[in-house]
Amino acid sequence: MQSVVLHNIWDHPVSSNQHPVSSLSSIQFIQMEDFRLKVFYTVARHRSFTKASAELFITQPAVTKHVKALEDTLGLRLFDRKGNSIVLTPPGEVLFRYAGQIFDLYQEALFELNSFKSQQKGSLRLGASTTIAQYLISPLLAAYYERYPTIQLSLLTGNTEMIEQAVSAKDIDLGIVEGKKHHAGLKYHDFLEDELVAVVHANSRYSRLKEITLEELTNLPLVLRERGSGTLEVLETALQERGIRPSSLTVVMHLGSSESIKSFLEHANCLSILSSRAIEKEVRTGQLKVVSIKDFRLPRTFSFVHLQGLPEGLAAGFMNYARRYYNP
């Protein structure tokens, strides 16, 4: 997929008696040459001029020059140095956020425009970790199919570790996973926010509980997701950050899906930690009950994952379509 190159503004330097930003019309600002913005965005993502140079295949002095030109045009400092590292300034944070949206829109616009030249065709191999596959992706895939019926979709499901391995092995083009970011050879993009919660069945002897402490959590019988799942990893990481060893939990069983855990809870006096998205229906109908854990929250982010480098073609188009679907 070709990149969009916009010109004009860099060929017209701002006079010294004009404020760089106020001298730019809204049209001119939109028409910034996107390569300089891309250089800034790459430096900001890596927090490194050296890594940006390697990704963009240009020299480090060229990276510095492009960023300096952008700062001069805007009249704002975008980076500060702190020791051997660089950090975004407040204006840099703002531009970084909007630059990500701009490049997403570029990809989406090109994807849409190409459909006028020829009907979108091809195949897209997707992968989704278990929670996402069960509770999020089906309506998205159905809507995508209605919009692009000539694109052949396939979906591999498994836990987060399995999906990451499938991306690394090039068995799939794009994955959607939960949990923390693991592999240096893979690139992750935030997709949707989620939260893990403690849950019991309405018929359980523990259903009378409204709030428990972390210490009480370690003493209650738990049924949890299997090793390799993002859900289990988020829980164990959060516990370790609070000085609690995961081995201190009273785990009676590990199961391979949220559905199997919900069924288990129906027949056992146990508590589990599950995605709030996985239990919406059961909480609404009163089958399951959420139990608060005092001063302890488990937020997490669902992420797209693909091989290092910018995603192209159908994968990039799907990412943008999915974001618009869930965040219209």
Side-chain angles (χ1 to χ4, degrees):
M1 190 173 288
Q2 296 178 343
S3 63
V4 177
V5 180
L6 303 174
H7 298 283
N8 293 339
I9 210 169
W10 308 114
D11 300 325
H12 304 283
V14 179
S15 62
S16 59
N17 61 350
Q18 291 178 308
H19 189 283
V21 175
S22 62
S23 68
L24 302 179
S25 70
S26 59
I27 296 299
Q28 284 178 311
F29 187 80
I30 291 170
Q31 289 178 327
M32 276 188 193
E33 181 179 298
D34 73 340
F35 185 70
R36 283 181 178 167
L37 190 62
K38 182 178 178 180
V39 171
F40 158 77
Y41 185 69
T42 308
V43 173
R45 274 196 301 105
H46 291 294
R47 299 295 195 271
S48 167
F49 284 79
T50 303
K51 291 180 179 178
S53 168
E55 180 174 318
L56 296 169
F57 299 103
I58 60 176
T59 64
Q60 188 169 332
V63 171
T64 303
K65 181 178 178 181
H66 282 301
V67 171
K68 180 65 166 58
L70 185 55
E71 290 180 325
D72 290 345
T73 300
L74 296 174
L76 295 166
R77 191 170 184 83
L78 300 175
F79 294 102
D80 280 331
R81 289 196 175 273
K82 289 193 175 180
N84 294 325
S85 62
I86 60 170
V87 295
L88 285 164
T89 62
E93 292 281 2
V94 171
L95 185 59
F96 178 61
R97 183 173 74 252
Y98 280 105
Q101 296 175 21
I102 287 168
F103 292 129
D104 285 345
L105 283 172
Y106 277 178
Q107 293 287 355
E108 187 172 344
L110 289 171
F111 188 75
E112 294 281 344
L113 289 170
N114 281 337
S115 67
F116 289 100
K117 294 190 295 184
S118 60
Q119 198 172 27
Q120 290 285 0
K121 295 180 180 178
S123 60
L124 179 60
R125 301 169 302 165
L126 300 169
S129 57
T130 311
T131 299
I132 296 165
Q134 287 180 322
Y135 306 106
L136 283 176
I137 206 166
S138 292
L140 169 62
L141 294 181
Y144 187 85
Y145 166 75
E146 291 295 325
R147 180 67 180 83
Y148 304 107
T150 57
I151 296 176
Q152 183 179 359
L153 297 174
S154 61
L155 178 67
L156 173 71
T157 62
N159 62 36
T160 291
E161 184 178 345
M162 294 174 183
I163 298 304
E164 288 172 331
Q165 289 174 351
V167 173
S168 296
K170 300 183 180 180
D171 293 330
I172 58 176
D173 305 306
L174 181 68
I176 312 176
V177 297
E178 53 205 90
K180 302 185 77 66
K181 301 170 176 60
H182 299 99
H183 301 286
L186 300 179
K187 192 170 181 180
Y188 298 79
H189 303 267
D190 290 351
F191 176 33
L192 282 175
E193 298 304 313
D194 185 37
E195 184 169 7
L196 302 180
V197 294
V199 60
V200 296
H201 195 272
N203 295 330
S204 168
R205 70 166 66 110
Y206 300 115
S207 63
R208 59 182 173 77
L209 297 173
K210 293 183 178 180
E211 184 180 74
I212 59 175
T213 64
L214 271 177
E215 183 179 358
E216 289 171 328
L217 177 68
T218 63
N219 294 320
L220 289 171
L222 298 172
V223 53
L224 301 176
R225 286 289 307 275
E226 81 287 3
R227 292 287 167 198
S229 77
T231 298
L232 183 63
E233 181 187 31
V234 169
L235 171 62
E236 291 187 337
T237 300
L239 290 173
Q240 288 170 340
E241 290 173 353
R242 296 291 293 270
I244 298 174
R245 292 178 293 106
S247 59
S248 68
L249 297 177
T250 309
V251 181
V252 300
M253 190 170 296
H254 289 277
L255 294 174
S257 72
S258 297
E259 288 300 309
S260 59
I261 288 177
K262 287 189 287 186
S263 179
F264 188 91
L265 289 176
E266 184 178 359
H267 303 285
N269 290 301
C270 290
L271 181 142
S272 186
I273 304 292
L274 293 173
S275 164
S276 59
R277 295 179 182 271
I279 60 170
E280 286 179 350
K281 178 181 176 182
E282 290 81 4
V283 169
R284 189 169 58 249
T285 59
Q287 294 173 272
L288 295 177
K289 177 186 173 184
V290 174
V291 178
S292 298
I293 305 175
K294 187 176 181 179
D295 300 324
F296 188 64
R297 289 187 63 243
L298 293 165
R300 66 171 175 180
T301 302
F302 296 143
S303 303
F304 292 110
V305 59
H306 57 83
L307 291 174
Q308 278 288 3
L310 293 175
E312 296 184 352
L314 297 182
F318 183 85
M319 286 171 59
N320 291 321
Y321 183 90
R323 287 195 180 103
R324 291 301 182 93
Y325 180 85
Y326 280 106
N327 301 286

